[in-house]
Amino acid sequence: MPALEQLVVDIATAMAERTARGRVADYIPELAKVSPAHFGLVVATADGHEVVAGDADTRFSIQSISKLFALVEALSRDADAVWRRVGREPSGSAFNSIVQLEAERGRPRNPFINAGALAVTDLIAQDDDPRAGAGAILRLVRRLAGDDSIAIDSAVAYSEAATGHRNAALAHFMKAEATIDGPVEQTLSTYFHQCAIAMSCRQLARAGRFLVHGGRDPASGEAVISAERARRINALMLTCGHYDASGEFAFRVGLPGKSGVGGGILAIAPGRASIAVWSPGLSAQGNSLLGTEALEMLAHGMGWNVFNPDPAP
Ligand code: GLN
């Protein structure tokens, strides 16, 4: 695919020249140590090619991208329980907002804001072993990426556990409203560990392939989830994957995507490609600034758009 290869090189070259790179997240002290100079991009195409540029194999903290994998795990265990707890509407609020949760009596708008993700993770954390929940999410990610070297960065998990008071506030409030069942400390610890999974763009792009192929992992041929569930997860990524910038992302990029404050974004061009991009500097809404711009250039250049796909050049 020479057009795609050239485009990926052009995007990486353009991003390397940018001086305004956004702000690295510093509310988790360990993330503040990451240089904003990084940029990585991997496109895993439906026909099995991987087109890469920049820091494609450098591992970074996936943070909220883990909410996608936690949702897949929880839906596989008990989908009705998930949808009793959380809604499917965009929040229009910051990822860690508290005010909407109280106004709506402890029911989070969707599984991708922090409150919703904590409620989903609580379903997985119900186990005697406090490490089991994050372990289950890690095992899923390893299976999807076909890579057992993927691991949790415990320094990042502890760094967030020491400072994650907003998440603790959300979790305690939901415990009071009976949205969360388990011991709050266990749910929080599981959540901080899942967010601290470290992956490269290459590993992340591989882990997203099942959403390109209607829920089927092209490497193993295994149906990870049903085609209907894959469609619905893509819909949630499109409408809720970038918090209060989800509309802007749909407008500019036009693909389902899930961001994390580590600066990664996983985007899905259904039937075409799984795309992972990483640039640690964030926008005011907490989404990768250059990552979004790179995806906009890629989606536009390839005609990859879920609303009105153009023929590939
Ligand atoms: N662990 C982060 C938090 O809860 C994840 C947020 C994000 O990536 N948007 O604050």
Side-chain angles (χ1 to χ4, degrees), residues 27-28 63-64 67 95 114 160 167 191 195 243 259-262:
Y27 75 99
I28 301 173
Q63 291 297 318
S64 283
K67 294 169 178 171
F95 64 88
N114 284 16
E160 186 168 15
N167 285 318
Y191 173 76
C195 287
Y243 318 110
S259 71
V261 290

Side-chain angles (χ1 to χ4, degrees), residues 99-120:
V99 64
Q100 190 173 53
L101 189 66
E102 183 174 19
E104 299 182 1
R105 293 189 305 286
R107 181 179 159 81
R109 280 280 179 101
N110 68 66
F112 291 154
I113 51 173
N114 284 16
L118 285 161
V120 167

Side-chain angles (χ1 to χ4, degrees), residues 203-246:
Q203 292 167 328
L204 191 56
R206 288 180 182 172
R209 290 172 301 187
F210 72 108
L211 291 172
V212 177
H213 299 275
R216 188 170 291 277
D217 178 352
S220 65
E222 170 203 11
V224 180
I225 52 174
S226 68
E228 178 182 67
R229 186 164 288 167
R231 266 197 302 279
R232 289 174 162 179
I233 289 177
N234 281 339
L236 285 168
M237 288 170 74
L238 186 90
T239 53
C240 311
H242 283 73
Y243 318 110
D244 45 343
S246 298

Side-chain angles (χ1 to χ4, degrees), residues 152-173:
I152 291 170
D153 182 338
S154 46
V156 172
Y158 293 141
S159 178
E160 186 168 15
T163 55
H165 303 297
R166 287 187 79 92
N167 285 318
L170 291 167
H172 279 286
F173 183 73

